[in-house]
């Protein structure tokens, strides 16, 4: 066996060369893998709005370097403050570790009941040892949108027939909003009576209609096609054809249309995809981190239920 | 490009003209063809030498049999000849033929094993440099047997994973990346029957046990137009037939799997059957052996009916594979996939025609699914019906012309249930034809040129596009010691595989028609190789390769933690070189291989949805393996066979993140901090910028066969996988940061009983 291996000097040279090459290629025996390489540039993400009309302001604060994802670590280990950049006033926000779902996913939601002024520049700042690491800056709108609705929610709904295949306009009401530079939200809430065992729960069920907001120059138009969502909200759906709930299924005579005006820097993101929203470089007004802190001014409009006349 | 097309078309046209009128009506020249098989069991003998001499002893023609054991000598002037057929380890066949004008003589013979030369059979893997072709690795059972594998028996997968230019992302998951290509760009054929993912969840195994493989042609690129529809590689496997003379069987077990095989004649000397089944045991033996969970289950079932005659050879093959397991044993995400395929293939020729017809048909279904930790399920399947007709026409001077027509109908389905995003379901049906023509032309026994031209036409698309390809080889001075090879061409693929590329650990794949209907993914290959027989036992081969890739469907960048089917268009390039040194002084066999490769993708930032600020983004995909070294040795002594293999891979790319958060959709106030979890994100600057630690591993085994009686034998094999217990990382989930390592040291002892 010695002969066939060692008698070929050329081959032995090749083997030696390959051995050297192998040793050179070895980066050592370290097998550790560091997936998380925290950035000094991006420290926290901030999500939430400051609403002039709200009693409580809530901002989600995520430490980006938290190794436990999803969810939050037990402590943010930093202070979160609300700064009025015009008056210089600074308010500390209180942390609350919120359990959000059945998997016990947690989040740090910082909140304050401090009143928010219209047309004012605010900053949410995350500080650690008096060093500001992350900030989100926004300006609140000067006024709430002025709302009016053209017609009530007519019940019962009407459905397509062979002769009238599209009856969408008969089951749509329109809200007009004036006096707002941007519309930040358009949400309708239905007062649904929900059976729960032997009891009946009174629940405000929301439906988001931000996608239906259109800019008409001096006003915004919000078209709410309510038939299909009322069908899906029917607390006691009959078998067979889908049916809207009747007036008896509501615990209030009117639904609520909540419309928020967005501040002057409110993004034009109405048609953006979820992937675009998730990009760290788009739609963010947070320095030293990611996310979006907005300023809004909300108003609510009653949209009554009414009997549809034949 | 157009000049090249005209060149190829011109050569093919000349070839057609050279073929002349249909040979059925030929008057003067005669032809001899037939099958060469083993008298022992009826197995086709590839590479048998067939020499026709005139009465004075001058060689009229010399050819070698192909993978089907078929040879053909045409354009023979009528007269008297001596025919000799030989194959190493077998008693040669000699005969005298009197050929009449226009006669198409069939001489199919069975060679008997020669007792004096039986030892030579063990070195059948040593093949002449003449057989070398660009991009092609011809794998035989002896090659597979020389690699240590946790038996009983060997497996083609173990061999393939050691080849330079082949990248795997770990020893689980069953995915192979070949020279810059992705798994969905590989074509795997078994007797003409496509299999989408025949590799088992434990990477040591595939649907191809080593001793079932008759031949396996593995093209890392540069393949001819006979193989259409894939960009990267081709694995064309021929299974050996069952024994046509006697009944045989095997049963065996080891810590990884158990096997049973039974074969025998249906009509003695004429037809046979073979049934092979393997089932994993590692799920049960792993916790005891490794003191850790090994939640992997797989099985494969292969059945083959084979019929052979003087002028025909037909087979029916059915295959079923199943895999299920959790790549990360500590998490509940469970993968499963299966292949079910059935097909038939016939190779036949008539008494009056010189043409050889290869006809095949069948169906193949692939399904795979993953159930994630959050309970959501992704499901995807592909179902194909196909029929192929291939004709080979001999031309003067040993040349040949081959053309064919392939027709397939594909159905692709997927259903993706994604957290936060709901269910996406898609269903596609496509019918595709792919005719081709290929000529093989040799000058002075030195230059062989194989131009080919094919096209794929899908009825739902526009005009078909031509795919010209060219293969050539050159033996300076006709020497058997040195050969230069080259290949190149244009390749298109009408189907796209979508994988979860967030990490290397996911094995789920959805197949979809290419979303870019105007420009399907395409590639241009260029290969240049040099093969040198330095001594009778020392051979060196080097091959450089380059692939330019266009219109690849790659996932758009997103920090959202989900399976991403949003595709964008990217171009890419891959290049590298493979070095192989084979040193085979009997009884030692030593293989040294080194492979270098580099793969990069380029796409515009807008298309990719990137956020680097560069208008054109260039990045490495997760399988961009740079360095690969392999050393394998096999020592076949009279009483024991020892084999070992050491492999080294430089680290694969992975995405390093700088943070995690949950995005709240403030737009429209859809999500409120107190009411929503948000959409989890893993935030990164660029994907795949970091590299995992290097991988290296030693496998070793000792095998001995005992003869218990004339009809009963026993093979005992012992060894170890990952003998020095290297902690090789398999993958790291970039979201949870869970690290999963590859298999630790696994000692094994396997036993196989062979009976007849």
């Amino acid at each position: 066996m010695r002969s066939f291996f060692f008698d070929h000097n050329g081959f032995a040279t090749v083997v030696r060369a390959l051995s050297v090459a192998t040793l050179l290629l070895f980066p050592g025996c370290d097998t550790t893998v560091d997936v998380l390489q925290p950035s000094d540039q991006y420290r926290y993400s901030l999500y939430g709005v400051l609403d002039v009309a709200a009693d409580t302001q809530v901002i989600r604060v995520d430490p980006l370097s938290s190794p436990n994802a999803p969810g939050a670590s037990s402590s943010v280990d930093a202070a979160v403050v609300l700064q009025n950049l015009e008056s210089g006033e600074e308010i500390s926000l209180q942390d609350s570790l919120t359990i959000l779902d059945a998997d016990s996913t947690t989040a740090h939601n910082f909140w304050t009941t401090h009143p928010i002024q219209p047309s004012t520049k605010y900053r949410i700042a995350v500080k650690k040892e008096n060093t500001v690491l992350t900030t989100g800056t926004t300006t609140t709108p000067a006024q709430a949108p002025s709302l009016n609705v053209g017609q009530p929610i007519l019940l019962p709904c009407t459905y397509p027939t062979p002769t009238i295949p599209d009856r969408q306009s008969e089951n749509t009401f329109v809200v007009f909003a004036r006096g707002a530079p941007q519309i930040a939200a358009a949400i309708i809430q239905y007062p649904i009576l929900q059976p729960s065992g032997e009891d009946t729960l009174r629940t405000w069920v929301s439906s988001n209609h931000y996608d239906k907001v259109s800019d008409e120059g001096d006003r915004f138009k919000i078209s709410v096609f309510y038939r299909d969502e009322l069908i899906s909200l029917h607390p006691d759906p009959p078998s067979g054809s889908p049916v809207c709930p009747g007036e008896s299924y509501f615990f209030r005579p009117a639904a609520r249309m909540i419309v928020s005006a967005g501040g002057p820097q409110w993004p034009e993101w109405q048609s953006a995809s979820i992937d675009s929203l998730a990009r760290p470089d788009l739609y963010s007004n947070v320095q030293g981190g990611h996310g979006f802190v907005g300023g809004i001014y909300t108003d609510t409009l009653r949209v009554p239920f009414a009997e549809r006349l034949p | 490009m157009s000049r090249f097309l005209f060149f190829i078309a011109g050569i093919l046209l000349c070839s057609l003209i050279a073929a002349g009128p249909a040979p059925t009506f030929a008057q003067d020249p005669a032809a001899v063809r037939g099958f060469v098989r083993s008298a022992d069991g009826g197995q086709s003998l590839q590479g048998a030498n067939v020499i026709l001499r005139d009465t004075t002893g001058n060689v009229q023609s010399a050819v070698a049999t192909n993978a089907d054991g078929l040879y053909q000598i045409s354009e023979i002037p009528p007269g008297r000849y001596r025919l000799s057929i030989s194959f190493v380890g077998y008693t040669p066949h000699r005969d005298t033929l009197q050929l009449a004008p226009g006669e198409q003589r069939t001489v199919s013979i069975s060679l008997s094993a020669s007792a004096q030369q039986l030892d030579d059979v063990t070195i059948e893997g040593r093949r002449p440099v003449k057989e070398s072709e660009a991009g092609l690795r011809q794998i035989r059972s002896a090659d597979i047997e020389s690699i240590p594998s946790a038996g009983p028996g060997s497996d083609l997968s173990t061999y393939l994973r050691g080849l330079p230019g082949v990248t795997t992302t770990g020893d689980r998951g069953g995915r192979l990346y070949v020279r810059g290509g992705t798994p969905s760009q590989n074509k795997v054929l078994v007797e003409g029957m496509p299999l989408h993912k025949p590799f088992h969840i434990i990477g040591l195994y595939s649907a191809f046990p080593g001793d079932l493989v008759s031949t396996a042609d593995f093209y890392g690129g540069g393949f001819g137009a006979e193989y259409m529809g894939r960009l990267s590689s081709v694995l064309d496997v021929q299974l050996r037939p069952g024994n046509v003379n006697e009944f045989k069987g095997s049963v065996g077990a080891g810590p990884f799997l158990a096997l049973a095989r039974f074969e025998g004649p249906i009509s003695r000397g004429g037809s046979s059957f073979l049934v092979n089944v393997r089932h994993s045991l590692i799920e049960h033996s792993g916790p005891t052996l490794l003191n850790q969970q090994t939640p992997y289950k797989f099985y494969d079932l292969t059945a083959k009916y084979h019929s052979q005659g003087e002028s025909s050879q037909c087979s029916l093959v059915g295959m079923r594979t199943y895999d299920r397991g959790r790549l990360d044993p500590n998490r509940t995400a469970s993968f499963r996939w299966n292949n079910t395929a059935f097909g038939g293939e016939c190779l036949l020729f008539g008494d009056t025609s010189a043409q050889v017809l290869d006809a095949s048909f069948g169906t193949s279904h692939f399904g795979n699914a993953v159930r994630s930790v959050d309970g959501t399920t992704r499901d995807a399947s592909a179902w194909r019906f196909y029929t192929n007709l291939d004709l080979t026409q001999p031309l003067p001077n040993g040349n040949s012309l081959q053309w064919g027509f392939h027709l397939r109908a594909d159905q692709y389905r997927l259903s993706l249930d994604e957290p936060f995003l709901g269910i996406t379901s898609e269903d596609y049906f496509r019918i595709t034809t792919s005719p081709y023509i290929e000529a093989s032309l040799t000058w002075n026994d030195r230059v062989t040129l194989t131009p080919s031209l094919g096209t794929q036409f899908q009825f739902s698309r526009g005009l078909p596009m031509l795919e010209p390809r060219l293969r050539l080889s050159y033996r300076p001075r006709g020497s058997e010691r040195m050969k230069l090879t080259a290949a190149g061409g244009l390749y298109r693929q009408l189907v796209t595989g979508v994988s979860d590329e967030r990490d290397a650990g996911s094995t789920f794949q959805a197949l979809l028609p290419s979303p870019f209907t105007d420009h399907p993914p395409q590639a241009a290959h260029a290969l240049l190789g040099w093969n040198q027989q330095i001594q009778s036992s020392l051979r060196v081969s080097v091959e450089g390769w380059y692939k330019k890739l266009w219109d690849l469907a790659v996932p758009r960048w997103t920090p959202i933690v989900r399976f991403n089917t949003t595709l964008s268009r990217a171009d890419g390039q891959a290049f590298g070189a493979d070095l192989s040194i084979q040193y085979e002084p009997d009884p030692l066999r030593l293989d040294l291989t080194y492979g270098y490769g580099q793969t990069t993708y380029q796409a515009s930032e807008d298309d990719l949805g990137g956020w680097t600020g560069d208008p054109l983004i260039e990045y490495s995909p997760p399988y961009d393996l740079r360095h690969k070294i392999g050393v394998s040795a096999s020592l076949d002594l009279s009483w024991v066979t020892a084999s070992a293999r050491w492999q080294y891979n430089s680290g694969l790319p992975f995405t390093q993140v700088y943070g995690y958060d949950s995005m709240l959709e403030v737009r429209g106030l859809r999500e409120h901090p107190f009411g929503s979890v948000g959409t989890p994100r893993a935030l990164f600057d660029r994907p795949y910028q970091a590299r995992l630690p290097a991988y290296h591993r030693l496998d070793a085994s000792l095998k001995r066969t005992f003869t218990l009686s004339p009809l009963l034998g026993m093979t005992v094999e012992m060894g170890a996988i990952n003998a020095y217990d290297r902690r090789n990382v398999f993958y790291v989930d970039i979201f949870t940061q869970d690290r999963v390592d590859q298999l630790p040291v696994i000692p094994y002892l396997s036993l196989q009983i062979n009976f007849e």
Side-chain angles (χ1 to χ4, degrees), chain A residues 1-30:
Chain A
M1 183 168 163
R2 288 182 61 84
S3 62
F4 66 71
F5 192 82
F6 293 105
D7 288 353
H8 296 90
N9 291 331
F11 180 72
T13 305
V14 170
V15 171
R16 277 197 294 272
L18 280 174
S19 304
V20 171
T22 304
L23 290 172
L24 288 174
L25 285 166
F26 263 113
C29 293
D30 185 17

Side-chain angles (χ1 to χ4, degrees), chain B residues 140-152:
Chain B
R140 296 172 186 170
S141 194
D143 301 321
I144 305 168
E145 297 283 350
S146 70
I147 303 297
S149 62

Side-chain angles (χ1 to χ4, degrees), chain A residues 1 3-5 8 11 14-15 18 21-22 25-39 42 45 47-49 56 58-60 62-71 96 98 100-101 105 107 109 111 184-187 208 210-211 260 266 269-281 290-292 294 296 298, chain B residues 421 535 537-538 556-560 562 564 566 579 581 583 585-588 590 592-594 605-606 609-612 627 629 635 646 648 654-670 672-681 683-685 690 692-694 696 724 726-729 732-737 739:
Chain A
M1 183 168 163
S3 62
F4 66 71
F5 192 82
H8 296 90
F11 180 72
V14 170
V15 171
L18 280 174
T22 304
L25 285 166
F26 263 113
C29 293
D30 185 17
T31 64
T32 56
V33 181
D34 294 320
V35 174
L36 180 61
Q37 190 76 33
S39 162
Y42 305 110
S45 74
Y47 282 102
V49 291
T56 306
V58 186
I59 301 293
R60 168 79 56 86
D62 257 350
L64 296 179
S65 61
S66 168
N68 302 318
S96 64
T98 310
L100 291 162
D101 59 14
T105 305
N109 293 323
W111 59 277
I187 298 168
N208 202 302
Y210 182 69
D211 292 341
S260 303
W266 196 263
W269 54 13
Q270 192 178 27
S271 59
S273 67
I274 188 76
D275 285 322
S276 296
L277 287 181
R279 283 175 56 160
D281 61 328
H290 299 302
F292 181 78
I296 63 171
T298 300
Chain B
L421 301 171
Q535 297 173 358
S537 57
L538 181 60
R556 280 174 65 90
W557 289 12
T558 178
I560 297 178
R562 65 171 161 87
N564 186 5
T566 311
L579 167 69
I581 302 172
Y583 183 59
D586 191 30
L588 178 70
L590 187 61
L592 305 176
T593 58
Y594 170 72
E605 186 176 53
D606 289 343
W611 47 82
T612 62
H627 304 280
I629 297 170
L635 183 63
W646 182 77
Y648 169 87
F654 79 102
T655 301
Q656 202 164 39
V657 302
Y658 64 78
Y660 303 99
D661 73 354
S662 290
M663 178 190 74
L664 285 182
E665 194 173 346
V666 178
R667 177 182 61 173
L669 302 186
R670 285 188 169 89
H672 188 275
F674 276 134
S676 300
V677 176
T679 303
R681 296 192 300 180
L683 298 154
F684 54 87
D685 285 326
L692 293 171
H696 49 92
Y724 54 84
R726 162 77 175 180
R727 193 175 174 229
N728 290 307
V729 62
V732 179
D733 187 318
I734 65 168
F735 184 55
T736 63
Q737 298 188 49
R739 170 186 169 136

